[in-house]
Amino acid sequence: MFRKKGPLILCGTFLLITWNAILLFLLWGRPTPAQQDKAVQDQVDVAVKPSPDVMGDVLDMADSIAAELEMQKKILLQIKSHKSLWKPSNKSKPKAVVPTQPVIPILVIACNRVTVRRCLDKLLEYRPSEELHPIIVSQDCGHAETAEVIRSYGEQVTHLQQPDLSDVAVKPQHKKFQGYYKISRHYHWALNQVFRTLSHSSVVIVEDDLEVAPDFFEYFRASLPLLKSDPSLWCVSAWNDNGRDAYVDPGQAQLLYRTDFFPGLGWMLLKELWEELEPKWPASFWDDWMREPEQRRNRACIRPEISRTLTFGRQGVSLGQFYDKYLRYIKLNTEFVPFTKLDLSYLKEDAYRTAFEREVYGAPVVTYEEITQGQLKGAGPFRLEYSHRDSFKLLAKNLGIMDDFKSGVPRTGYRGIVSFISRGRRIFLAPPTGWTQYDTTWS
């Protein structure tokens, strides 16, 4: 309405003022009726000297000006009544603001879970900025009910739909793994959309069965500069594989680690890493592929003491593997940590390795029996040593932490060391001094 009528009203106002100025000018210079009669009389009788009625002329002019001002007043009142048309509507959208801080989009990988609503609700509840953290939901499977849930969020999220829903050609013995092949294909397509089509420089990936913590966005925003500046890092993860309630220190919500194990489950990567991985992206089992030495290349990830994500999806292609025993009991952080105000430089490779190994190998060595029988003296930390694959698995299983290896790396391990809480004490399950590298045959 404003765009259509605004210029016409402004033009009319300009013409009105101009006309009034001309009219007033003419009025001031126009002779009064008495002056006109006098001019005629002067032509008839030139000899007669004029005796003008000055007061009458002034009164006549005042009457004329008063009439004109009254007309102007009426017109100005009409213009005032249309004043609302000149102003932009309060409902009109503000101009887009170009962000001055890095934009970190959240990519939600979805398929056929209508419970994606739980994931999206928490992301939207804790998101500090729509401009700095756009939410992109990439849906595979073509599941109509899930698509309807995603569309219900309107412009709060961007809904992408993976176009290729066909089965993937696999070997006969891999038919039961068809779901893993489709997931890998979906990740490949979705990450290309984020980095190539939408031209983002980083992204945090979550799946549709993850709930996030209140400081989820704060955590990734604070760790982005570290990921960009340290070439020995290749991801930041929100997940602690051994993060069950009794196995973490509730008073250390701000504590972060380096880990050689790729955790996933809410993780951030840069465009540069995707450009490295995309040409050789695997047909299936992408997460285990990420853990292979050829991809990891001795790089580490950052992970928290207390997880910033919680999985609530028992049903999936993995058929609930580890869910009932471990994943459902993971502690989700509830204390907001202002990570962007903390100094995270201690996580840089050289400083971290030196300090961490000094703490681990400076801790007293204890036995499994001393731990489980409550015979530890002091507040800790303590070191429990393992010498080979079987001893690690036996100790880990009996202490209640995850005992599997991927490409020789134990979950949460850093230089072979796994840190956790047992009976209220910090325990480092560690190889002997002099550790050099992982043995891939341990997987």
Side-chain angles (χ1 to χ4, degrees):
M1 188 72 168
F2 168 69
R3 292 178 180 175
K4 293 179 180 179
K5 294 188 178 181
L8 293 175
I9 294 173
L10 292 175
C11 182
T13 303
F14 175 78
L15 291 175
L16 173 65
I17 294 171
T18 303
W19 168 252
N20 286 334
I22 295 171
L23 189 59
L24 287 173
F25 177 80
L26 292 175
L27 285 170
W28 280 101
R30 185 179 68 184
T32 65
Q35 289 173 328
Q36 291 175 355
D37 293 340
K38 180 179 179 301
V40 174
Q41 182 64 31
D42 287 343
Q43 292 177 1
V44 176
D45 186 7
V46 178
V48 179
K49 292 183 179 180
S51 178
D53 183 0
V54 177
M55 183 60 70
D57 291 347
V58 171
L59 290 175
D60 288 343
M61 187 178 295
D63 291 341
S64 299
I65 292 174
E68 291 298 329
L69 289 176
E70 185 65 26
M71 183 180 294
Q72 289 181 39
K73 180 179 179 181
K74 292 180 180 179
I75 295 174
L76 289 172
L77 288 173
Q78 292 179 353
I79 293 174
K80 185 177 180 180
S81 68
H82 291 82
K83 188 177 179 181
S84 61
L85 299 177
W86 306 357
K87 296 181 179 180
S89 170
N90 292 332
K91 296 181 180 179
S92 60
K93 293 183 179 180
K95 293 181 179 180
V97 178
V98 178
T100 58
Q101 302 179 48
V103 175
I104 309 175
I106 310 300
L107 174 62
V108 180
I109 299 293
C111 181
N112 58 359
R113 290 188 178 107
V114 294
T115 51
V116 67
R117 184 180 298 279
R118 177 175 170 182
C119 172
L120 293 176
D121 283 348
K122 288 298 181 182
L123 285 171
L124 291 170
E125 178 182 351
Y126 299 135
R127 179 171 66 171
S129 166
E130 180 180 353
E131 291 75 23
L132 298 181
H133 296 287
I135 297 174
I136 303 164
V137 185
S138 181
Q139 185 191 1
D140 199 1
C141 309
H143 191 248
E145 289 81 1
T146 301
E148 184 61 30
V149 170
I150 298 168
R151 281 194 294 268
S152 71
Y153 288 88
E155 295 183 356
Q156 295 182 94
V157 306
T158 298
H159 184 198
L160 306 179
Q161 290 182 293
Q162 202 281 109
D164 186 0
L165 303 182
S166 64
D167 285 343
V168 181
V170 300
K171 298 177 181 179
Q173 60 268 33
H174 276 205
K175 283 187 176 180
K176 62 182 179 179
F177 301 129
Q178 179 72 216
Y180 290 101
Y181 281 84
K182 289 185 176 181
I183 289 173
S184 189
R185 178 178 66 186
H186 185 196
Y187 265 82
H188 184 271
W189 182 85
L191 285 169
N192 271 336
Q193 295 303 304
V194 169
F195 289 125
R196 296 188 174 175
T197 303
L198 300 176
S199 300
H200 289 293
S201 59
S202 64
V203 69
V204 175
I205 305 171
V206 300
E207 296 191 357
D208 56 1
D209 61 346
L210 289 182
E211 178 180 331
V212 302
D215 57 356
F216 174 86
F217 292 93
E218 175 80 357
Y219 170 64
F220 283 109
R221 180 155 293 280
S223 55
L224 178 62
L226 190 65
L227 182 61
K228 287 182 173 180
S229 64
D230 189 346
S232 69
L233 292 173
W234 70 325
C235 89
V236 177
S237 173
W239 182 257
N240 176 1
D241 275 295
N242 289 317
R244 289 187 292 163
D245 201 357
Y247 293 82
V248 295
D249 186 344
Q252 295 289 317
Q254 82 289 348
L255 184 58
L256 306 178
Y257 297 85
R258 292 175 71 101
T259 177
D260 300 320
F261 189 89
F262 171 71
L265 292 173
W267 60 288
M268 177 168 62
L269 74 155
L270 302 179
K271 183 178 182 179
E272 291 79 3
L273 178 62
W274 179 241
E275 290 174 343
E276 172 193 325
L277 299 177
E278 191 272 339
K280 56 178 181 176
W281 190 253
S284 64
F285 306 107
W286 69 269
D287 48 350
D288 284 342
W289 175 83
M290 289 276 289
R291 294 163 180 148
E292 294 175 358
E294 294 77 13
Q295 281 65 251
R296 189 171 68 82
R297 293 168 48 192
N298 292 320
R299 291 173 292 192
C301 292
I302 300 299
R303 62 97 176 170
E305 167 76 1
I306 304 177
S307 289
R308 264 61 186 186
T309 55
L310 173 69
T311 178
F312 54 83
R314 183 181 186 279
Q315 297 300 322
V317 294
S318 64
L319 302 177
Q321 184 184 23
F322 299 128
Y323 183 83
D324 289 331
K325 189 173 182 180
Y326 296 103
L327 304 184
R328 66 182 300 178
Y329 301 108
I330 294 293
K331 177 179 174 61
L332 181 67
N333 183 61
T334 57
E335 174 190 347
F336 186 93
V337 176
F339 282 110
T340 55
K341 294 180 174 60
L342 302 182
D343 181 5
L344 302 184
S345 61
Y346 72 92
L347 291 164
K348 291 185 177 180
E349 182 180 27
D350 292 340
Y352 185 86
R353 177 183 295 186
T354 300
F356 188 69
E357 289 187 339
R358 183 188 302 119
E359 181 181 21
V360 172
Y361 291 102
V365 178
V366 295
T367 65
Y368 168 76
E369 288 74 20
E370 288 176 316
I371 296 173
T372 56
Q373 294 174 14
Q375 298 175 358
L376 299 180
K377 297 179 180 179
F382 302 96
R383 176 162 48 105
L384 178 63
E385 285 195 353
Y386 68 92
S387 56
H388 50 77
R389 175 184 180 274
D390 291 341
S391 64
F392 176 91
K393 290 183 73 68
L394 180 63
L395 290 170
K397 183 177 181 179
N398 288 336
L399 288 169
I401 63 173
M402 299 190 78
D403 64 345
D404 62 323
F405 293 86
K406 299 290 184 180
S407 295
V409 184
R411 292 180 185 267
T412 76
Y414 174 72
R415 297 186 63 78
I417 303 161
V418 174
S419 174
F420 61 98
I421 297 294
S422 180
R423 296 173 180 262
R425 296 332 203 307
R426 174 70 61 185
I427 305 295
F428 297 120
L429 184 54
T433 306
W435 180 96
T436 55
Q437 62 183 3
Y438 293 104
D439 186 344
T440 56
T441 66
W442 285 21
S443 297

